[in-house]
Amino acid sequence: VVFEVLILGSSSATPIYQRHPSAQLLNIHERFFLVDCGEGTQMQLNRYKIKYPRIHHIFISHLHGDHYFGLMGLLSSMHLQGRTDEMHLYCPKELQEIIDIQLKYSDTRLRFNLIYHFTDHETSKTIFEDDDLTVETIILNHRIPCTGFLFREKPKKRKLLREKLEQYHVPREQYSALKSGQDYVNDRGVVIPNEKLTDDPKAPCSYAYCSDTMYDERIIPQIKNVDLLYHESTFLEDKADRAKETFHTTARQAGLMARKAEVKRLIIGHFSSRYKDIYPLLEEAKQVFPDTSLAQEGDKFIIE
Amino acid sequence: VVFEVLILGSSSATPIYQRHPSAQLLNIHERFFLVDCGEGTQMQLNRYKIKYPRIHHIFISHLHGDHYFGLMGLLSSMHLQGRTDEMHLYCPKELQEIIDIQLKYSDTRLRFNLIYHFTDHETSKTIFEDDDLTVETIILNHRIPCTGFLFREKPKKRKLLREKLEQYHVPREQYSALKSGQDYVNDRGVVIPNEKLTDDPKAPCSYAYCSDTMYDERIIPQIKNVDLLYHESTFLEDKADRAKETFHTTARQAGLMARKAEVKRLIIGHFSSRYKDIYPLLEEAKQVFPDTSLAQEGDKFIIE
């Protein structure tokens, strides 16, 4: 069971000090989700030896360039590498226009289908769902329409205790009902309680990606108790005015958000180019929420 | 006197093996001209410590992404760094539409003016001219409209020989005429031939950038005798069919072009991702034109 977040870039608007703009790759049970795609993302994928064909879903939070300028290059490279698998794009609807015009003027007809799933920046919605995972948008508060993304495993099935099943002679056709939590009634009408035959499943994992946004407590109910929260932290608290003015968050505020939402761990990122040394941002967030890490390129965060 | 070409990237469509897509920076007497701007160009400029404010002219050959996907990011960064100097863009007219739509959806109003100079892909024109330099478009033969660029210093003024001027008592007001090659007639009506008073100037430098294109001899008269020719060389000769089909050139053909145009030196670039090792391309071109070099990132070619 794998649920991990690989940081490909965590710079804010201007790439500097070898820091790339926003991009993260999620591996959830060997399905790969790319979240934001700043300039140079394809080079970063190469650097970390990620095979492009494994990616089938790309999520774009908003249309500031540091979150999507790498997308056309990545799609073009996929095309040139002969991709035929469809690609799902979760993004503001205007992105389609931006992509279409560039395909048109380069006279490119992609060999694969782009399936668009437009985000609604006013109402949180489930934009992806399969057997064991959902992705919801998180309504962020930025200068232009912007959504975060909440990746959440569905509650898992209960684990069968093989020895007990044999002991109680449970027929195979009952296993599925047991996994869903039902009790077993044997052929003599005796009820064997589910907890005698099964064990608690692993708790579902959850990850919230919140960039870019000003500090806004309205998202707390939605991200409550997540295992891992990525929250932007563009500035230090002494630039709180600047943060507000530009619809960004300070490191202290990111810590506060993590604490109030009672998340398990916090990653901060989207660092302003004014900070060559980003450790002061970490120190500031840690004062409010100790279990904080910096989003640095190549770092992998595993949720267990 | 400086006339140099810095290679920022020379990969073809897909960036791979740490090779970035096309971009070059020309320094001509401390004026900086950016030629093409593939994804990651701003990171490459950072890497080679080029200050963005020094660049006032950007030339885009055509609208395949590997030649311009880095432009929006570079312009955005210039904007965020507070640039107010106008930027001149020499490009196909459709690029304006691509830029405008992205500025619109990111709600960005650049702090500096973008001055467009649209290229005509059917007729070569002088698109830049000042006191000592002209830039002409070169009509290339590619799948979509594409122009190369010919940078050429204007003929320089003749050099005054100070000792001779004193010896012949030439008055100062005659200096300008002498520099232009006129003879001096003294107050007694004696003609002193120009070559007694002046020396030949340095030959003007010239650089031709030809990417992307199939082998097409029609450009030879225009690039004849240039000091330095950059010609794309996407494939080896054993892929000549593939080169033709995709409107690209082989290394051998690039060498042939250099030989037929009698240029002084050749740089080859725009290497296909199929070549991890690019030295066979160099060897192939050298068999036809010995003074050939590979365009490798960070390499600087000086014209003297």
Side-chain angles (χ1 to χ4, degrees):
Chain A
V1 180
V2 182
F3 195 121
E4 62 184 30
V5 179
L6 170 67
I7 307 299
L8 299 171
S10 59
S11 184
S12 68
T14 313
I16 200 165
Y17 314 126
Q18 316 286 337
R19 299 199 300 251
H20 284 77
S22 294
Q24 301 186 356
L25 187 78
L26 272 61
N27 175 352
I28 303 179
H29 314 316
E30 298 302 316
R31 277 166 307 165
F32 290 75
F33 302 88
L34 183 63
V35 182
D36 279 339
C37 188
E39 182 173 355
T41 295
Q42 62 174 326
M43 288 84 152
Q44 292 291 83
L45 290 170
N46 294 345
R47 184 172 166 193
Y48 299 113
K49 304 194 190 325
I50 309 296
K51 304 283 178 216
Y52 304 174
R54 305 198 69 173
I55 303 170
H56 289 85
H57 304 274
I58 301 178
F59 297 77
I60 301 293
S61 61
H62 68 301
L63 296 185
H64 280 150
D66 54 324
H67 295 257
Y68 85 89
F69 281 162
L71 182 62
M72 282 305 299
L74 178 60
L75 295 177
S76 301
S77 292
M78 287 172 164
H79 164 72
L80 290 164
Q81 289 171 2
R83 182 189 183 102
T84 54
D85 277 12
E86 56 191 28
M87 173 62 82
H88 293 265
L89 269 181
Y90 307 81
C91 60
K93 70 176 192 305
E94 294 80 3
L95 185 59
Q96 184 171 10
E97 215 177 310
I98 292 171
I99 291 174
D100 283 350
I101 193 175
Q102 294 186 84
L103 291 176
K104 175 178 144 194
Y105 290 135
S106 64
D107 192 23
T108 303
R109 189 147 181 265
L110 294 179
R111 292 190 186 92
F112 57 93
N113 283 328
L114 277 180
I115 318 280
Y116 287 92
H117 306 264
F118 296 134
T119 49
D120 173 347
H121 67 280
E122 290 179 333
T123 316
S124 168
K125 293 202 174 127
T126 297
I127 52 173
F128 173 89
E129 177 162 14
D130 69 4
D131 285 351
D132 51 12
L133 185 77
T134 60
V135 185
E136 293 168 20
T137 48
I138 302 168
I139 304 308
L140 299 178
N141 189 347
H142 197 44
R143 192 165 65 78
I144 62 171
C146 183
T147 64
F149 302 103
L150 175 59
F151 292 80
R152 193 190 286 282
E153 286 182 321
K154 291 185 176 174
K156 293 174 183 170
K157 301 283 185 184
R158 297 189 62 78
K159 286 187 204 160
L160 299 178
L161 299 167
R162 297 286 164 184
E163 281 185 17
K164 298 287 179 182
L165 296 176
E166 283 175 26
Q167 186 184 324
Y168 286 95
H169 304 292
V170 181
R172 237 164 230 291
E173 56 271 26
Q174 295 297 316
Y175 288 5
S176 173
L178 284 173
K179 283 186 191 170
S180 302
Q182 289 177 40
D183 295 334
Y184 168 55
V185 185
N186 72 15
D187 48 12
R188 280 164 296 155
V190 181
V191 175
I192 320 292
N194 187 287
E195 52 267 36
K196 277 199 171 172
L197 301 168
T198 69
D199 208 351
D200 289 343
K202 288 183 77 168
C205 300
S206 51
Y207 173 61
Y209 174 86
C210 298
S211 185
D212 296 4
T213 187
M214 62 191 297
Y215 179 78
D216 188 336
E217 298 190 350
R218 286 176 294 180
I219 67 173
I220 290 176
Q222 189 182 9
I223 66 170
K224 195 91 184 175
N225 299 129
V226 294
D227 293 301
L228 187 60
L229 167 67
Y230 170 87
H231 199 288
E232 75 130 284
S233 165
T234 308
F235 297 104
L236 283 168
E237 186 65 18
D238 64 359
K239 294 270 177 254
D241 288 350
R242 179 85 185 129
K244 199 170 176 182
E245 199 177 290
T246 56
F247 293 82
H248 286 301
T249 305
T250 68
R252 190 180 172 280
Q253 290 169 339
L256 208 58
M257 180 63 71
R259 193 168 74 189
K260 291 198 180 187
E262 298 175 77
V263 308
K264 294 212 184 74
R265 280 192 290 162
L266 170 67
I267 313 173
I268 56 172
H270 201 263
F271 311 117
S272 163
S273 62
R274 74 174 60 229
Y275 305 114
K276 182 167 185 180
D277 176 8
I278 53 181
Y279 282 88
L281 291 147
L282 179 64
E283 288 315 309
E284 186 177 283
K286 275 187 158 179
Q287 281 171 23
V288 186
F289 188 82
D291 201 350
T292 303
S293 306
L294 294 169
Q296 292 188 288
E297 298 181 14
D299 286 356
K300 209 176 254 183
F301 295 88
I302 298 171
I303 304 176
E304 291 183 296
Chain B
V1 180
V2 182
F3 194 121
E4 64 184 27
V5 179
L6 170 66
I7 307 298
L8 300 170
S10 60
S11 184
S12 69
T14 314
I16 202 164
Y17 315 125
Q18 316 287 337
R19 300 200 297 251
H20 283 76
S22 295
Q24 301 187 356
L25 188 77
L26 272 62
N27 175 353
I28 303 179
H29 315 316
E30 297 302 316
R31 275 165 311 165
F32 289 76
F33 301 88
L34 183 64
V35 181
D36 279 340
C37 188
E39 181 174 356
T41 295
Q42 61 174 325
M43 287 83 152
Q44 292 292 81
L45 289 170
N46 294 345
R47 185 171 165 194
Y48 299 113
K49 303 194 189 329
I50 309 295
K51 303 283 178 217
Y52 304 175
R54 305 197 70 174
I55 303 170
H56 288 84
H57 304 275
I58 301 178
F59 297 77
I60 301 294
S61 62
H62 67 301
L63 296 185
H64 280 151
D66 54 323
H67 294 256
Y68 85 89
F69 281 162
L71 182 62
M72 281 305 301
L74 178 59
L75 296 177
S76 300
S77 293
M78 288 172 164
H79 164 73
L80 290 163
Q81 289 171 3
R83 182 188 183 106
T84 53
D85 278 13
E86 56 191 28
M87 172 63 80
H88 293 265
L89 269 181
Y90 306 81
C91 60
K93 70 175 192 306
E94 295 80 3
L95 186 59
Q96 183 171 11
E97 215 178 309
I98 292 172
I99 291 175
D100 283 350
I101 193 176
Q102 294 187 83
L103 291 175
K104 173 178 144 195
Y105 288 136
S106 65
D107 192 24
T108 303
R109 191 150 180 263
L110 294 179
R111 292 191 186 92
F112 57 92
N113 284 329
L114 277 181
I115 317 282
Y116 287 92
H117 307 263
F118 297 134
T119 50
D120 173 345
H121 68 279
E122 292 179 332
T123 316
S124 168
K125 294 201 172 127
T126 297
I127 52 173
F128 173 89
E129 176 163 15
D130 70 4
D131 284 352
D132 50 13
L133 185 78
T134 60
V135 185
E136 291 168 21
T137 49
I138 302 167
I139 304 308
L140 300 178
N141 189 348
H142 198 42
R143 192 165 65 77
I144 61 171
C146 183
T147 64
F149 304 103
L150 175 59
F151 293 80
R152 194 190 284 282
E153 285 182 321
K154 292 185 175 174
K156 293 173 184 171
K157 301 283 186 183
R158 298 189 61 78
K159 287 188 206 162
L160 299 178
L161 297 167
R162 298 289 162 182
E163 280 184 18
K164 299 283 179 184
L165 298 176
E166 282 173 28
Q167 187 185 326
Y168 287 94
H169 304 291
V170 181
R172 236 164 231 291
E173 57 270 25
Q174 295 295 319
Y175 287 7
S176 173
L178 284 173
K179 284 186 191 171
S180 303
Q182 291 177 38
D183 295 333
Y184 169 55
V185 185
N186 72 13
D187 48 13
R188 281 163 296 154
V190 181
V191 175
I192 321 291
N194 186 287
E195 52 268 36
K196 277 200 171 171
L197 301 167
T198 69
D199 208 348
D200 287 342
K202 287 183 76 165
C205 300
S206 51
Y207 173 61
Y209 174 86
C210 298
S211 183
D212 297 1
T213 188
M214 63 191 297
Y215 179 79
D216 188 335
E217 298 190 350
R218 286 175 293 180
I219 67 174
I220 290 176
Q222 189 180 11
I223 66 171
K224 195 92 184 171
N225 298 129
V226 295
D227 293 299
L228 186 62
L229 166 66
Y230 170 88
H231 199 288
E232 76 129 284
S233 166
T234 308
F235 298 103
L236 283 168
E237 186 66 18
D238 64 0
K239 294 271 175 256
D241 288 349
R242 179 85 186 126
K244 199 169 179 186
E245 198 179 291
T246 57
F247 295 82
H248 286 299
T249 305
T250 68
R252 189 180 172 279
Q253 290 169 339
L256 209 58
M257 180 63 71
R259 194 169 71 188
K260 292 198 179 186
E262 298 174 78
V263 309
K264 294 213 185 74
R265 278 192 293 162
L266 170 67
I267 313 173
I268 57 172
H270 201 264
F271 311 116
S272 163
S273 62
R274 73 173 61 229
Y275 306 113
K276 182 167 184 177
D277 176 10
I278 52 182
Y279 283 87
L281 292 148
L282 179 64
E283 288 316 308
E284 187 176 284
K286 276 186 158 180
Q287 282 171 21
V288 187
F289 189 82
D291 200 351
T292 303
S293 307
L294 293 169
Q296 291 188 287
E297 300 183 12
D299 286 356
K300 208 176 255 184
F301 296 88
I302 298 172
I303 305 175
E304 290 183 297

